[in-house]
Amino acid sequence: MNLYKRTSLVFFFLVLSFSGYAQLDSLKLELETAIGEKRIDVLNKIAFTFGYSKFDSARYYGEMANEEAIQLDYLDGKVKSYVNIGYSYFDEGKLDTAMILMKRSIAESIENGYPEGEMDGYLALGIVYDSKSYLDSAAWAYRKNIAMGKSLNKIQKSTSAIGNLGNVYRQQGLFDMAIAQYLEAAELNLELGKAAKQANFLANVGSVYLEDHNFEKAEEYSAKAYELVKDSDYTRTKWYARTGQCLALGNLDRYDEALVGFNEILEEAKTLGDPYQVPTVYHNLGDLFNDNGEHEKALESGLAALKGFEVVDSKYGILKSHTLLCTIYGKMGQVDKALSHCKLASEMAHEFNHEGSLKEIYKYQAEAFETVAKYKEAYAARLRYEEVKDEQLGETQDRHIAALTTKFDTKEKELKIEVQEEKLEAQEKLIDQQRIIQALILLVLLVVVIMAVIIWRNGKKQKEVNKQLNEQKETIEKTSKERETLLKEIHHRVKNNLQVISSLLSMQSRQMDEGEAKSAVREGQSRIKSMSLIHQKLYSQDELSRINMKEYISELSQYLFKSYKMGESIKEVLETQEIQLDVDTAVPLGLIINELIANALKYAFEDKKQGELKVQFAQEDNFYKLKVSDDGVGLPSQWEKKKNMGMRLVQILVEQLDGELAIENSNGTTFMITFGKHAA
């Protein structure tokens, strides 16, 4: 069994601090007597509580809160109303409209000096970005929320952002980092006594383990989450945890237990009249039946799920239901119906940019064609499946490069700090001993009667202390040399490992025909070379923490000109100052230089017999300026919409340096990057 990796709907929670249906009746009663700002607060709470299911009702109360807040000039009510109206569009699948409203809430908060509203806006904006798979933007928004929470000493208010950042890591395949974020958020909510949110994050841990195929751990954490809220009114968190547990049970071949759990959720959802959860459970039941070979039951549940999602106009639910029906009809041998649902699912995925769903749609489409021996059509569907899979893999690799670079830099910093702390501790011991000696000397001066005895004893003690000091000095010097050797060995091993990877890529590329794949391998090889060169220079010099950028840029440029077999017709001009940079800055800057030079050598001089590529790097006041320019053919029209992996990587690395990127596309192409002296 593999329910989670198929079409099951567990609906991974992006935490919104959901309040639950049980509060609606009391809130409506409170609204009857509330006036002024209190009334606006109640309207906002009702709007938020209607989320997920009754989009029109949520929007109605949110817009009412917005109108009254504007009339009373009530800033908190106005900012929250924008967020709540945005959530109603978000829950309905209208993500672009939701994004506009979240940004409006941030702008209002910044303009009026309201940091708490700004924090809420960044959390909401991150959730929308996350749902659109703009993971870098989502991480940025969550980190803004977390940074403000720390600066305002309100980190408890950032628990949702801390957990949701884990969701970004999960989508990047960094499961350990995702789980660490969720557990941190769960711990904070445990301290705050918020069992529902604690349960939500524990359920997220279970969902990550589901995706990682560790079904025992998935069942364990989902069960822990369910135990926290099973007797509470937090129905959505309870259903979420129970759903994760049932999916894990299904994958552990405990079919009957999974079926009982799904039916429990279905009965509760029907009783509460939740129009969104009911079709979700039908969908999961359909997948469970289908995987167990009970195709008639699966079809009945799948059709019920589709009908329910159509009633609430859930685009994502409708898309996933069509995908489920595609595979059910395919297994039943009703190929025409299977292909019809696959087509509908594919059209919706393209329309709403749900690229993550395309891969499984094309897979089921191919299986349906194969059932009726339409191998040409099946082959075409398989090709589309592979293309989507490769594209998603490429995007993941981009993020992994940045994440792995950050991991390595962090480890190196920790090692440096550890060495410095040991040196400081040794120095403090020496100072303490010297103070003791000074105290003894003062005592000797005060006690004249026993002067000779004290001087004799002091001389003896002094010799012992000096001996200890010498021994400690030798130990410190030995430790320092060992640390230097260790750092050099680390750089040496990293360099060797990167060279091994580069060699493997080189061997692979020689077996490949010219084309995009070979070009991609060659680009990866040059990126690895740019990092390897830094560690090679660190290993070969006495200075273990700083890089001579003039030498580095010269060697990297020579390597790239040689790699791309540029003749004497393309002139290389280097104008770089003698600048020493720390490793934290040199690694991302080296990758940027590599991408810009390689890009120019590949594309700038295609139709020119003569040309010039110039690299300039200088320090001006408290800023560094890198300029890479060519007099080639310039960037193609609408290049902004056709950004390749290299340009995306350059933009990620410029952000890592807290820098600014400017591009001039006349008489060739010029890239200008400016960043501060203390950028990390």
Side-chain angles (χ1 to χ4, degrees):
M1 273 192 177
N2 191 0
L3 294 172
Y4 186 78
K5 283 293 185 181
R6 296 168 60 82
T7 60
S8 296
L9 289 183
V10 68
F11 285 110
F12 208 98
F13 263 32
L14 295 160
V15 182
L16 312 179
S17 307
F18 187 74
S19 57
Y21 289 106
Q23 294 186 13
L24 271 175
D25 291 339
S26 62
L27 287 171
K28 288 181 178 179
L29 285 173
E30 188 177 352
L31 183 64
E32 293 177 1
T33 57
I35 59 174
E37 293 182 357
K38 179 64 175 177
R39 172 179 166 81
I40 295 169
D41 290 338
V42 176
L43 287 169
N44 271 319
K45 289 179 181 178
I46 295 174
F48 187 77
T49 308
F50 268 124
Y52 281 103
S53 56
K54 297 182 179 179
F55 313 130
D56 291 339
S57 297
R59 199 165 305 144
Y60 170 78
Y61 284 101
E63 290 173 350
M64 190 185 303
N66 181 259
E67 291 175 3
E68 296 186 16
I70 292 173
Q71 291 174 0
L72 291 179
D73 196 22
Y74 178 31
L75 179 61
D76 181 68
K78 181 164 59 170
V79 169
K80 286 181 178 176
S81 69
Y82 285 134
V83 171
N84 288 329
I85 298 168
Y87 278 143
S88 74
Y89 283 108
F90 168 81
D91 297 332
E92 195 177 359
K94 297 177 179 179
L95 302 183
D96 290 334
T97 305
M99 188 188 306
I100 292 171
L101 287 159
M102 304 315 186
K103 289 181 178 179
R104 185 178 297 173
S105 74
I106 295 172
E108 287 276 354
S109 298
I110 294 174
E111 183 179 348
N112 292 280
Y114 183 39
E116 291 192 10
E118 189 179 348
M119 285 180 67
D120 291 339
Y122 282 124
L123 172 63
L125 183 61
I127 290 169
V128 179
Y129 278 141
D130 204 334
S131 296
K132 289 176 71 68
S133 295
Y134 296 170
L135 299 185
D136 293 332
S137 298
W140 167 81
Y142 293 145
R143 290 186 183 118
K144 287 285 286 186
N145 175 285
I146 296 168
M148 293 186 70
K150 291 178 179 178
S151 67
L152 296 172
N153 198 26
K154 294 185 177 182
I155 191 61
Q156 295 86 351
K157 190 175 173 61
S158 295
T159 55
S160 296
I162 292 170
N164 288 350
L165 185 56
N167 187 46
V168 175
Y169 291 143
R170 177 187 66 86
Q171 293 175 82
Q172 292 174 325
L174 303 173
F175 292 146
D176 291 341
M177 295 173 68
I179 289 172
Q181 289 291 130
Y182 294 141
L183 291 178
E184 180 183 352
E187 184 68 22
L188 280 171
N189 281 289
L190 174 63
E191 294 173 5
L192 295 170
K194 295 183 177 180
K197 291 186 71 174
Q198 179 193 0
N200 190 85
F201 289 118
L202 291 176
N204 281 355
V205 173
S207 192
V208 173
Y209 279 123
L210 269 176
E211 191 166 352
D212 201 27
H213 285 195
N214 190 339
F215 301 121
E216 290 82 3
K217 284 284 187 183
E219 197 277 332
E220 175 188 342
Y221 277 93
S222 297
K224 286 180 180 178
Y226 181 64
E227 284 298 317
L228 286 171
V229 291
K230 68 178 182 179
D231 297 323
S232 72
D233 293 329
Y234 294 99
T235 51
R236 286 209 170 276
T237 302
K238 177 168 58 177
W239 292 337
Y240 172 47
R242 187 63 165 144
T243 297
Q245 184 183 20
C246 293
L247 292 173
L249 291 170
N251 281 283
L252 291 170
D253 294 329
R254 293 158 66 178
Y255 171 81
D256 291 337
E257 294 176 67
L259 185 60
V260 168
F262 281 136
N263 281 323
E264 287 176 359
I265 300 172
L266 182 62
E267 290 304 314
E268 289 183 12
K270 285 181 176 179
T271 300
L272 291 174
D274 188 324
Y276 197 78
Q277 187 63 34
V278 170
T280 300
V281 183
Y282 275 129
H283 184 106
N284 287 331
L285 282 170
D287 202 16
L288 181 67
F289 289 137
N290 191 43
D291 202 64
N292 201 49
E294 300 176 80
H295 303 310
E296 293 294 341
K297 289 183 178 179
L299 179 60
E300 181 181 351
S301 296
L303 290 172
L306 176 61
K307 182 178 179 181
F309 285 130
E310 286 175 341
V311 169
V312 296
D313 195 26
S314 170
K315 306 301 182 185
Y316 184 72
I318 295 170
L319 186 159
K320 300 302 285 186
S321 293
H322 281 305
T323 306
L324 173 63
L325 289 169
C326 173
T327 184
I328 293 172
Y329 278 122
K331 289 190 175 183
M332 295 176 72
Q334 299 182 37
V335 177
D336 289 341
K337 291 184 177 180
L339 293 176
S340 174
H341 283 284
C342 272
K343 180 181 179 184
L344 291 170
S346 176
E347 290 172 351
M348 291 188 68
H350 282 295
E351 180 182 356
F352 297 104
N353 294 320
H354 287 293
E355 296 180 2
S357 302
L358 284 172
K359 187 168 66 173
E360 64 178 353
I361 293 170
Y362 290 141
K363 177 184 176 184
Y364 298 142
Q365 200 174 47
E367 291 173 353
F369 279 125
E370 288 168 0
T371 302
V372 292
K374 291 186 177 182
Y375 299 114
K376 182 177 180 180
E377 292 84 350
Y379 177 70
R382 286 284 180 188
L383 283 180
R384 289 193 294 271
Y385 166 77
E386 293 295 336
E387 288 172 0
V388 173
K389 183 172 72 172
D390 290 344
E391 183 178 338
Q392 293 172 353
L393 178 61
E395 292 174 354
T396 301
Q397 288 173 338
D398 283 352
R399 299 184 186 105
H400 278 194
I401 288 173
L404 290 173
T405 300
T406 302
K407 275 187 174 181
F408 175 78
D409 291 345
T410 301
K411 288 293 182 183
E412 192 169 43
K413 285 180 180 177
E414 289 174 352
L415 183 59
K416 290 179 182 177
I417 292 171
E418 183 180 342
V419 172
Q420 292 171 350
E421 287 177 346
E422 289 181 358
K423 288 182 178 179
L424 182 61
E425 184 178 352
Q427 290 172 351
E428 289 175 348
K429 287 182 179 179
L430 288 173
I431 292 171
D432 290 340
Q433 290 171 348
Q434 289 171 351
R435 287 173 178 169
I436 293 172
I437 294 169
Q438 292 171 354
L440 289 173
I441 293 173
L442 289 173
L443 286 173
V444 169
L445 295 173
L446 292 173
V447 186
V448 179
V449 178
I450 54 174
M451 178 85 64
V453 176
I454 292 177
I455 291 174
W456 176 78
R457 290 181 178 178
N458 185 64
K460 185 177 180 180
K461 289 182 179 180
Q462 185 69 47
K463 289 181 180 179
E464 292 176 355
V465 171
N466 287 338
K467 182 180 178 181
Q468 292 176 359
L469 288 172
N470 289 330
E471 290 175 352
Q472 290 173 353
K473 181 180 179 182
E474 292 173 359
T475 301
I476 292 170
E477 290 175 351
K478 182 179 178 181
T479 301
S480 179
K481 289 180 180 179
E482 289 175 349
R483 292 296 180 185
E484 285 187 342
T485 302
L486 177 59
L487 280 173
K488 281 196 171 187
E489 183 63 19
I490 289 173
H491 290 305
H492 183 54
R493 292 190 181 184
V494 171
K495 179 201 69 174
N496 287 348
N497 288 339
L498 290 172
Q499 287 178 344
V500 168
I501 296 171
S502 179
S503 299
L504 290 172
L505 290 174
S506 179
M507 293 170 60
Q508 183 67 40
S509 68
R510 286 198 294 270
Q511 299 176 10
M512 300 169 68
D513 295 330
E514 289 295 336
E516 291 185 5
K518 186 168 184 177
S519 177
V521 171
R522 189 178 296 145
E523 289 175 2
Q525 190 176 356
S526 72
R527 291 174 184 132
I528 291 171
K529 177 64 178 179
S530 73
M531 292 188 287
S532 173
L533 184 57
I534 286 176
H535 295 286
Q536 178 180 334
K537 296 188 75 61
L538 287 172
Y539 172 71
S540 61
Q541 65 188 23
D542 293 332
E543 175 61 59
L544 297 178
S545 63
R546 302 187 74 78
I547 300 295
N548 185 317
M549 292 306 294
K550 183 173 184 177
E551 295 177 2
Y552 173 78
I553 292 172
S554 176
E555 291 182 30
L556 178 60
S557 177
Q558 290 175 16
Y559 166 78
L560 291 170
F561 266 75
K562 182 178 178 181
S563 298
Y564 286 91
K565 300 178 180 179
M566 307 304 293
E568 296 180 355
S569 60
I570 305 304
K571 183 180 179 182
E572 171 192 19
V573 178
L574 302 180
E575 297 177 359
T576 56
Q577 296 178 358
E578 292 281 353
I579 295 174
Q580 300 283 336
L581 290 184
D582 59 270
V583 179
D584 300 336
T585 307
V587 170
L589 185 61
L591 286 169
I592 291 171
I593 295 170
N594 175 82
E595 292 300 322
L596 296 179
I597 294 178
N599 187 64
L601 294 179
K602 284 173 61 180
Y603 303 113
F605 307 106
E606 290 180 337
D607 299 323
K608 297 189 66 174
K609 296 182 179 179
Q610 299 290 331
E612 179 181 280
L613 174 62
K614 180 183 290 186
V615 180
Q616 299 167 286
F617 184 55
Q619 177 182 332
E620 296 182 9
D621 298 327
N622 291 325
F623 292 87
Y624 293 117
K625 289 190 176 182
L626 170 68
K627 186 176 181 181
V628 179
S629 58
D630 62 72
D631 58 355
V633 297
L635 297 173
S637 61
Q638 295 185 331
W639 64 272
E640 297 93 342
K641 299 180 180 178
K642 303 176 181 178
K643 289 182 182 176
N644 57 20
M645 173 181 169
M647 283 303 299
R648 291 199 301 269
L649 183 57
V650 167
Q651 290 182 326
I652 291 172
L653 293 168
V654 170
E655 290 179 2
Q656 185 175 334
L657 289 169
D658 288 335
E660 296 181 355
L661 170 64
I663 302 173
E664 184 178 326
N665 191 25
S666 63
N667 298 323
T669 306
T670 298
F671 292 86
M672 172 68 80
I673 296 168
T674 305
F675 59 96
K677 286 185 65 175
H678 302 290

